Amino acid sequence: MTVQLQPPFRYVGHKRRVREDRRFVAGGGHYAADLVLPGMLHCAPVQSEHPCARIVAIDASAALALPGVHAVLTGAELAAATEPLMNGANTPLVVRYPLAVGQVRYAGEWVAMVVAESRAIAEDARELVRVEYETLPFVLDGEAAMAPGAPLVHPPHGSNVLLDRHFVWGPVAEQFAAAPRKLSYRVRWGRSSTVPLETFAVTARWEPTDAVLDVWASIQMPKFPDQIARSLRLPGNAVRVHYDVDVGGSYGVKRGIKHAVLVGHLARALNRPVRLVEDRLENMTGGDMQGPERVFDVELAFDDSGRVQAMKMRALDNVGAYAGRSPFQLGKPIGAIVGPYAIAAVEYHALAVASNKTPQEAVRGFGQAPTNYALETGIDKVAAVLGLDRLEVRRRNFIRADQFPYLIPSGTTYDSGNYHGLLDKTVAVADLFAERDALRAQGLLAGVGIASCLEPSGGNSSFEPLLNPANRTTTWMESCRIHVDGLGGITAAMHTTTSGQAHETLVSVAVAEVLEIPPERIRVIRPDSLASLPSNSPVGSRMAIMLGGAAVRAAQKLRHQLMQIAAHDLGVPLLHLRYSEGDIHAPDGRKLSWLELVLIAHREYFRLPEGMEPGLSASSIYMVPTGGQLPLDDKVQMYPCHSFEFHYVLLAMDPVLCRPEIRRYIIGHDCGQVISPDVVKGMTLGGIAHGIGAALLEEFSVDAQTGQPTAASFMDYLLPSAHEVPRVEIVHQVTRSPLTVFGQKGSGESGYLGSPAAIAGAVNDALAPRGVRVDQLPMRPALLSDLVAEGTSA
Amino acid sequence: MAQALAWMAADPDARLLAGGQTLMPMLAMRLVRPSKLIDIARIPGLDRLEIAADRVELGATLRQVAVERSAALAEAVPLLAKAIRFVGHPPTRRRGTVGGSLANADPAAELALVAVTLGAELLLHDGSAVAAVDFFLAPMTTALPEGAMLTGLRIARQSAPRRGTGFREVAMRAGDYALASAACEVTLDAAGRCASLRLGIGGATPVPTLLPLAALLGTSLTEAKPAIAAALAPLEMMSDGNAGAAYRRRAAQALAEQVLADALAEAMRCN
């Protein structure tokens, strides 16, 4: 059990400069594409032009004849030399290599990789690679892919269903039979993603004398070195991933395992450093970076007061051409399947279906935002059916503050929360309903959107064994090592990559709080994977909890070592000593300063306690606070901590043009004890911007006739710009988690988890006077305008 | 200028490069493969801005930002000042040119819509001129003859005291290509009735199109809706992944009504 540090805090929660900002703003970041190695070769992929086809022949002779071309690697050659990429689902016959082998399964899939002296030559050469295809029938829609007779994406698997899990938690049938009211509905979440400014980039170098593969990659991938080594049939200690590369944005998608395995193979085979930096078209079509695409069918059983007693939810996710980890995105939301509501019984049917689309990858929230959208839509519908206020229906269903810790039907215990308190505090900021009515009086369609949802945080892997019992992975650690040098300088190491989440700020503040030394004096480094302690990666809104926890634990061990040294040197029992800002004071007025303690540890061994190792160093490998048990009876404790956010949004649009404009965005946010206020604020604002994109603009559309991607650049994939993102008013509440070192919870997904639901609710409130509803995202102007004009719903 | 024309004549696969805001991305994506690029941005005088009593002339390589920042031009041709802020974003307007936008003939181009709406003329290197309504033939297709160079845009100044203009558009995001746009210039007589009216539609139609609204002359312009609908009825509306033809027709109607109302309100404020 973690001993929690209590406020008041010296550094935690104080507004301070985010230490990474200066580096990034001043152009001092070091990205994978900045690395230039002597003799480095460059790659350009040959991509499939068909969504489904047999590869009859590949003729690379003309490409190889071009001066400067070193190799054209095909899938058959690569498959012979490597093991398949990791597959999270229990589908051993769904085999995946970095390049297509024998058959292509989506338009944009890599068929061959050209390696040349320069990227330009590689691009010239790839146009000369002749691939002969025999086209095959394809399927793009998830429901169509499940239908009998649908073309099979992986014929050996025998079906397009990659995951089919059915859970019943609590007396669902009884509640539905007894409930006075029921409703059912369908919502669709369109295929969008996080779209980092930096595309995927990786450089690999093979050192034949040391037999080690060095990898510099733009990644946010759990167990990345292990996966590369396994695929390349190398010992784990023959892959050295350099975590000190800055990653130019990710929020889930920078997995890049196929890129790294391929480039690693090429570097060994050619004995030259090789790099692959995707351009935007390659990233969007063949980078495997698109997010969930879901159809939810939901039934709710509720009473006349609007209290929801039971829910049935079927989530069908079109995961694209290969499995990877994407089916697990149906699993993580099980840990907050009832949201902030006291729903006693739930039936959940999770279906991951393959199609001839780009494979799906992890996206911010790992499936939680779509699930929240489905649930919040239902709460709004309950209110509409009963003619009740949407705020009141939420109040009636919220878990009360005095009910925590609260066990939900699917086996997770929520750590803490005060949902009623934050709702009241947020709506007290403004009467958006009155502002809405004033806009309506001007002839606009105007609506108020509401969403209340959780951000499960402190990510573990409990969904893996829950969805796939053959997978017994439950340990998801994070680590920190602190070292004090001979001159008293403090260096703290974290052991994974960082993609803009301000982990250096986090570690320095956490260590500073324990050692009572200003964060500016603490250096934070990211050694390579061979010099690292076990770690996982910055996913699942976990680093404030996990890396913060590891940093505090390591700092506490170091502080204890200092106390032991002082107790011995001063001849005073440890309990009588007082630690203050690095110095240790005895009751009689004697003290040992920080520098004297360092001197003893590093140079004056005769003053150390007997048996103590010299030097000052401590480390912690921190496990998720609630541990990692295997599921029991289809139930499991998912993430430990549960942040809460309440969105309250005013939106208006012209009744013909129907281009939604957000007039006011108020969010109540509670992530427990805040560690770095500006970091949390940045996460929340960015998350809301991301949600605006998912709700109104972004979609990886595909032409239904040809299977070709139609949003393959920033011309057609519409990210919200500064014009579309409004000023956001943030209301703070602090409900501490009892499970973490400072009482903190996660905030890496904040804003995004509820904003699509809130904006969708606002659009529907705006459309309500016209008798029209939309239950699909994104809600684009033409869709809305056409529905208003026709008086129909979608 | 002569050198540029000679190079063009010698090589039919050469392309002129002005501000590069369309051509450079197309080159990066390998969508066009010219044999040569002829950079005309430094041809002396081609970036002129002349504001005379009866007309203004904008050189082909005049940067869009210069249009945006000229107070004298805004006073002479207020519709241009309203429209220019919808052209891309500040960074693209710093490089993008007047002539580049016109010669590219994107259906959504704001400058092309203003040119058609105001009855402007496009000037060619040989001293000839083509009326804007005759210049835009189809999306990305103009009447510019093979081997010719667009050198500028000439707009006659409207001298009526009671004048108003309006420009609006709807796009997926601010700065995106317009799904539909509308531009209007109206003048009123002493009695407040419509003395002249020019109202153009862009984005929705394959080329910017002036609506025939002569029936509204002499009226108070408060009942323009049916006339606009009738003028739009025969026009072909474009359709793409962002919006279908039905949306564009409704949007064109709504925007036309709105810019007319804007222009009328502005004209009524002049005394």
Side-chain angles (χ1 to χ4, degrees):
Chain A
M1 189 67 199
T2 297
V3 178
Q4 190 169 82
L5 303 178
Q6 298 295 323
F9 293 116
R10 194 179 290 259
Y11 303 113
V12 165
H14 293 258
K15 194 169 157 62
R16 302 178 70 83
R17 175 176 297 207
V18 177
R19 72 157 60 188
E20 292 90 338
D21 284 358
R22 186 179 168 82
R23 177 165 97 238
F24 294 134
V25 171
H30 298 284
Y31 300 94
D34 292 330
L35 184 74
V36 176
L37 297 175
M40 185 166 75
L41 299 176
H42 301 257
C43 293
V46 176
Q47 295 182 263
S48 168
E49 53 210 270
H50 304 290
C52 192
R54 196 169 70 79
I55 300 170
V56 178
I58 299 174
D59 177 3
S61 54
L64 288 166
L66 198 70
V69 174
H70 283 248
V72 178
L73 180 71
T74 66
E77 292 162 351
L78 184 64
T82 60
E83 296 300 313
L85 302 178
M86 189 197 76
N87 178 8
N90 189 15
T91 53
L93 299 178
V94 175
V95 179
R96 181 186 190 191
Y97 290 95
L99 300 173
V101 182
Q103 183 188 334
V104 293
R105 295 181 168 85
Y106 63 99
E109 184 169 8
W110 293 352
V111 175
M113 191 62 69
V114 179
V115 190
E117 295 285 337
S118 73
R119 167 74 187 187
I121 294 172
E123 286 190 29
D124 286 345
R126 75 166 153 197
E127 294 175 1
L128 302 173
V129 176
R130 296 277 162 263
V131 184
E132 188 187 334
Y133 295 102
E134 176 190 325
T135 60
L136 298 169
F138 59 88
V139 62
L140 301 171
D141 177 74
E143 290 185 290
M146 284 178 59
L152 293 179
V153 180
H154 295 272
H157 181 62
S159 159
N160 287 326
V161 178
L162 301 179
L163 177 101
D164 183 352
R165 293 282 280 136
H166 198 191
F167 300 93
V168 180
W169 301 296
V172 176
E174 294 83 341
Q175 294 278 17
F176 266 86
R181 289 176 177 268
K182 301 177 207 38
L183 63 79
S184 64
Y185 58 95
R186 163 170 278 211
V187 300
R188 289 177 185 274
W189 176 279
R191 183 177 271 237
S192 56
S193 191
T194 63
V195 182
L197 193 58
E198 180 202 41
T199 60
F200 194 83
V202 56
T203 297
R205 177 183 64 195
W206 175 250
E207 293 284 1
T209 48
D210 295 340
V212 68
L213 183 75
D214 282 294
V215 178
W216 296 263
S218 170
I219 44 143
Q220 184 204 2
M221 178 58 143
K223 314 295 184 198
F224 186 67
D226 296 3
Q227 292 191 56
I228 296 171
R230 195 170 292 153
S231 277
L232 293 179
R233 300 171 182 156
L234 288 170
N237 63 6
V239 173
R240 180 163 53 203
V241 176
H242 294 264
Y243 291 143
D244 57 352
V245 167
D246 284 318
V247 178
S250 174
Y251 282 105
V253 298
K254 284 276 179 69
R255 297 305 165 112
I257 187 64
K258 81 170 183 183
H259 308 65
V261 167
L262 183 134
V263 167
H265 168 78
L266 286 169
R268 278 180 83 195
L270 301 173
N271 202 17
R272 291 274 293 267
V274 177
R275 90 156 173 181
L276 168 61
V277 180
E278 294 173 331
D279 69 16
R280 186 67 57 193
L281 292 167
E282 290 162 359
N283 179 249
M284 288 190 155
T285 56
D288 302 359
M289 47 69 77
Q290 302 178 4
E293 175 185 351
R294 290 194 187 165
V295 180
F296 291 92
D297 288 298
V298 188
E299 293 177 67
L300 298 178
F302 55 103
D303 65 19
D304 292 331
S305 70
R307 287 187 180 81
V308 179
Q309 283 126 356
M311 172 174 73
K312 297 179 186 175
M313 176 182 280
R314 187 183 89 148
L316 189 160
D317 203 336
N318 180 347
V319 301
Y322 295 94
R325 287 180 64 77
S326 53
F328 292 142
Q329 297 199 73
L330 289 161
K332 182 265 185 85
I334 291 172
I337 195 73
V338 295
Y341 308 116
I343 302 173
V346 177
E347 184 177 325
Y348 181 60
H349 188 184
L351 280 162
V353 180
S355 73
N356 294 107
K357 281 190 176 181
T358 304
Q360 185 187 109
E361 198 39 273
V363 161
R364 196 187 220 150
F366 211 60
Q368 191 72 53
T371 306
N372 291 347
Y373 165 56
L375 181 56
E376 288 301 284
T377 300
I379 301 298
D380 278 359
K381 284 176 186 283
V382 167
V385 164
L386 297 173
L388 290 172
D389 172 44
R390 286 175 283 159
L391 294 170
E392 182 56 26
V393 171
R394 284 176 171 80
R395 284 192 187 99
R396 289 177 187 177
N397 282 287
F398 275 162
I399 299 160
R400 296 189 318 273
D402 61 13
Q403 290 177 289
F404 291 94
Y406 183 88
L407 175 66
I408 67 168
S410 52
T412 289
T413 296
Y414 291 170
D415 53 334
S416 65
N418 179 2
Y419 308 152
H420 290 92
L422 189 55
L423 183 153
D424 289 342
K425 211 173 163 184
T426 309
V427 299
V429 171
D431 184 353
L432 294 187
F433 294 94
E435 293 183 28
R436 174 197 68 184
D437 293 343
L439 293 169
R440 285 181 176 175
Q442 296 168 25
L444 294 170
L445 298 179
V448 174
I450 295 158
S452 40
C453 66
L454 301 183
E455 178 179 347
S457 50
N460 61 21
S461 65
S462 296
F463 44 77
E464 296 192 34
L466 185 65
L467 292 190
N468 175 10
N471 181 339
R472 292 161 65 87
T473 304
T474 66
T475 313
W476 260 35
M477 73 297 279
E478 210 53 65
S479 60
C480 181
R481 179 166 52 201
I482 304 172
H483 166 66
V484 181
D485 60 48
L487 301 181
I490 304 166
T491 302
M494 57 177 283
H495 303 113
T496 181
T497 53
T498 184
S499 38
Q501 305 98 323
H503 296 136
E504 293 170 29
T505 298
L506 166 68
V507 171
S508 64
V509 169
V511 172
E513 189 65 42
V514 174
L515 296 182
E516 302 178 13
I517 284 170
E520 291 74 19
R521 286 175 48 193
I522 297 164
R523 184 171 298 283
V524 180
I525 60 166
R526 284 169 280 145
D528 64 62
S529 60
L530 294 183
S532 287
L533 295 171
S535 69
N536 202 69
S537 68
V539 299
S541 190
R542 70 198 299 269
M543 293 306 255
I545 295 164
M546 298 299 297
L547 181 57
V552 164
R553 285 273 185 87
Q556 287 171 330
K557 288 182 189 175
L558 191 80
R559 182 169 152 162
H560 185 66
Q561 187 188 352
L562 292 165
M563 293 288 275
Q564 286 178 310
I565 292 170
H568 179 262
D569 196 64
L570 296 170
V572 175
L574 191 146
L575 284 173
H576 295 170
L577 294 174
R578 185 172 59 85
Y579 181 100
S580 175
E581 300 185 353
D583 300 336
I584 297 178
H585 301 264
D588 60 10
R590 289 182 298 154
K591 80 163 192 180
L592 281 173
S593 72
W594 175 260
L595 284 175
E596 285 173 285
L597 290 160
V598 170
L599 184 74
I600 294 168
H602 274 280
R603 294 179 181 275
E604 299 181 356
Y605 186 67
F606 55 90
R607 293 172 72 183
L608 279 179
E610 193 176 347
M612 180 180 281
E613 293 176 356
L616 281 172
S617 178
S619 63
S620 168
I621 305 173
Y622 189 78
M623 180 55 195
V624 177
T626 46
Q629 299 303 308
L630 283 173
L632 191 65
D633 299 333
D634 274 350
K635 296 180 188 176
V636 73
Q637 173 73 37
M638 207 72 74
Y639 293 7
C641 302
H642 298 81
S643 301
F644 178 65
E645 57 193 47
F646 182 80
H647 298 249
Y648 186 42
V649 184
L650 177 66
L651 170 151
M653 54 191 167
D654 178 280
V656 176
L657 305 177
C658 289
R659 187 171 176 273
E661 286 174 21
I662 296 166
R663 296 297 183 98
R664 205 149 173 199
Y665 205 113
I666 307 172
I667 180 172
H669 186 233
D670 186 344
C671 63
Q673 173 66 49
V674 170
I675 296 173
S676 301
D678 279 351
V679 174
V680 171
K681 182 181 177 190
M683 292 286 191
T684 306
L685 299 184
I688 289 170
H690 185 187
I692 290 169
L696 299 176
L697 291 164
E698 300 177 37
E699 186 167 30
F700 284 106
S701 50
V702 172
D703 184 275
Q705 266 68 51
T706 64
Q708 298 298 318
T710 50
S713 76
F714 286 154
M715 289 270 288
D716 302 303
Y717 188 83
L718 305 176
L719 294 170
S721 76
H723 298 283
E724 284 72 46
V725 180
R727 191 173 76 87
V728 174
E729 300 161 70
I730 304 179
V731 176
H732 296 282
Q733 178 180 278
V734 177
T735 308
R736 297 159 63 77
S737 172
L739 303 174
T740 57
V741 290
F742 298 120
Q744 78 273 32
K745 303 178 180 182
S747 73
E749 297 153 1
S750 68
Y752 178 64
L753 296 185
S755 52
I759 293 164
V763 169
N764 277 313
D765 188 42
L767 295 176
R770 302 296 180 101
V772 173
R773 250 204 93 82
V774 189
D775 284 323
Q776 65 184 64
L777 303 183
M779 298 176 168
R780 292 176 146 189
L783 169 72
L784 302 178
S785 175
D786 288 354
L787 295 174
V788 169
E790 294 156 15
T792 55
S793 293
Chain B
M1 173 82 78
Q3 178 67 75
L5 290 164
W7 278 331
M8 271 214 296
D11 187 346
D13 292 330
R15 287 282 293 266
L16 295 183
L17 173 67
Q21 295 306 289
T22 301
L23 186 54
M24 295 309 288
M26 290 175 76
L27 288 169
M29 291 191 272
R30 296 187 167 219
L31 294 173
V32 291
R33 301 183 180 212
S35 54
K36 266 195 198 77
L37 289 181
I38 303 168
D39 182 355
I40 60 169
R42 278 163 290 180
I43 293 178
L46 202 53
D47 62 347
R48 71 192 187 284
L49 172 57
E50 292 174 28
I51 302 174
D54 61 336
R55 62 182 163 76
V56 301
E57 284 193 21
L58 286 64
T61 58
L62 184 69
R63 306 283 176 181
Q64 291 155 6
V65 67
V67 175
E68 184 179 6
R69 290 189 180 171
S70 169
L73 183 59
E75 196 192 331
V77 191
L79 183 61
L80 197 53
K82 285 178 184 163
I84 196 73
R85 284 190 289 273
F86 289 90
V87 180
H89 295 275
T92 67
R93 293 200 290 271
R94 291 193 73 87
R95 283 201 170 269
T97 63
V98 170
S101 174
L102 293 169
N104 189 51
D106 191 291
E110 290 81 2
L111 290 174
L113 174 58
V114 169
V116 167
T117 301
L118 295 182
E121 291 175 299
L122 288 93
L123 309 176
L124 307 191
H125 69 278
D126 60 2
S128 63
V130 182
V133 285
D134 299 325
F135 185 77
F136 302 104
L137 302 179
M140 325 311 282
T141 308
T142 70
L144 197 64
E146 189 78 20
M149 190 194 301
L150 180 69
T151 57
L153 178 71
R154 179 160 60 216
I155 305 172
R157 287 184 71 167
Q158 174 64 256
S159 58
R162 302 191 72 191
R163 173 181 61 174
T165 58
F167 190 96
R168 289 187 186 231
E169 68 177 42
V170 61
M172 295 299 286
R173 299 169 300 184
D176 278 353
Y177 294 102
L179 302 171
S181 51
C184 180
E185 183 173 77
V186 66
T187 61
L188 303 180
D189 63 19
R193 287 186 298 266
C194 177
S196 73
L197 170 61
R198 300 187 69 90
L199 202 165
I201 296 296
T205 48
V207 293
T209 305
L210 196 61
L211 299 188
L213 295 171
L216 295 176
L217 293 175
T219 73
S220 65
L221 293 176
T222 50
E223 303 292 333
K225 196 171 180 169
I228 291 171
L232 287 172
L235 299 183
E236 175 202 346
M237 295 288 156
M238 295 192 298
S239 180
D240 62 21
N242 287 324
Y247 176 80
R248 283 186 157 89
R249 185 174 300 283
R250 283 195 305 276
Q253 173 83 31
L255 291 168
E257 292 171 24
Q258 288 169 13
V259 293
L260 180 57
D262 293 342
L264 183 60
E266 196 174 278
M268 304 262 274
R269 283 197 296 272
C270 305
N271 281 308

